[in-house]
Amino acid sequence: MIRTIVVGVDRVAPNGDTANKIGTYQLAITARYHGCQFIVAAPTTSVDLYTKSGADIVIEERYEAEILVQTGFERQGVLEGRLKRVEVQVAPVGTRAWNPSFDVTPAELISAMDGQYLANKQINVQYAFKKDAKGERHGSAAERLLAAQAQKNDRTL
């Protein structure tokens, strides 16, 4: 049985929202549905103090052809030992697609955020923001990550 899902992150907004590769948000929803912990491994370098929330993160969009067209080899050529690449439209002509590279996970779906330590395979959330017994958050993700980095370097913010 899965009890914890751990993901990486590309950007962390000061309110705790995160942006990561497409599919991360659905993992957070899945974790919530199944009562699992959802932990984000976030190096302090991923904190973006200039972006207020996930709504402000600009999401890179990839070409829609990556979804609408598939590339492969012509079957007859494969059987005859000569490979001929072909592109096949897999959606009806005129179909449009939205192909984002990243999605945003709201802070409410994140159980904990780890600063630097998961790279050593140690899930250390000592300095990460967490919910208390009442489900209330204490400090933003960015504040906690920066405080952890400061403590690691024996500095005070």
Side-chain angles (χ1 to χ4, degrees):
M1 175 158 116
I2 298 171
R3 294 184 304 223
T4 304
I5 296 174
V6 180
V7 297
V9 70
D10 285 291
R11 290 177 70 190
V12 179
N15 74 335
D17 293 347
T18 62
N20 197 37
K21 305 301 180 271
I22 197 76
T24 304
Y25 177 51
Q26 77 184 38
L27 288 173
I29 292 169
T30 301
R32 172 65 57 91
Y33 179 82
H34 290 285
C36 299
Q37 293 289 310
F38 185 77
I39 299 174
V40 175
T44 54
T45 55
S46 64
V47 177
D48 181 355
L49 296 176
Y50 302 104
T51 303
K52 289 183 179 182
S53 72
D56 299 320
I57 297 173
V58 177
I59 303 297
E60 174 191 343
E61 294 184 27
R62 300 177 63 104
Y63 297 108
E64 62 183 13
E66 291 179 9
I67 295 173
L68 302 174
V69 176
Q70 296 296 311
T71 302
F73 296 104
E74 189 177 57
R75 183 175 188 275
Q76 190 61 37
V78 171
L79 295 174
E80 294 172 0
R82 57 180 171 78
L83 300 180
K84 179 181 176 189
R85 277 187 100 96
V86 293
E87 287 188 351
V88 178
Q89 176 87 22
V90 294
V93 175
T95 300
R96 301 296 314 265
W98 180 50
N99 188 11
S101 297
F102 301 91
D103 56 25
V104 174
T105 301
E108 296 77 34
L109 295 177
I110 300 170
S111 306
M113 191 171 296
D114 176 64
Q116 298 285 13
Y117 309 101
L118 284 176
N120 298 327
K121 299 187 189 291
Q122 300 171 13
I123 298 177
N124 181 340
V125 293
Q126 178 179 1
Y127 305 116
F129 74 87
K130 291 186 87 170
K131 297 176 187 173
D132 63 17
K134 295 179 184 177
E136 296 177 9
R137 284 185 186 278
H138 297 281
S140 74
E143 290 168 343
R144 294 290 182 161
L145 285 171
L146 292 173
Q149 187 64 32
Q151 185 164 356
K152 181 179 175 186
N153 295 333
D154 294 322
R155 296 188 320 239
T156 305
L157 292 178

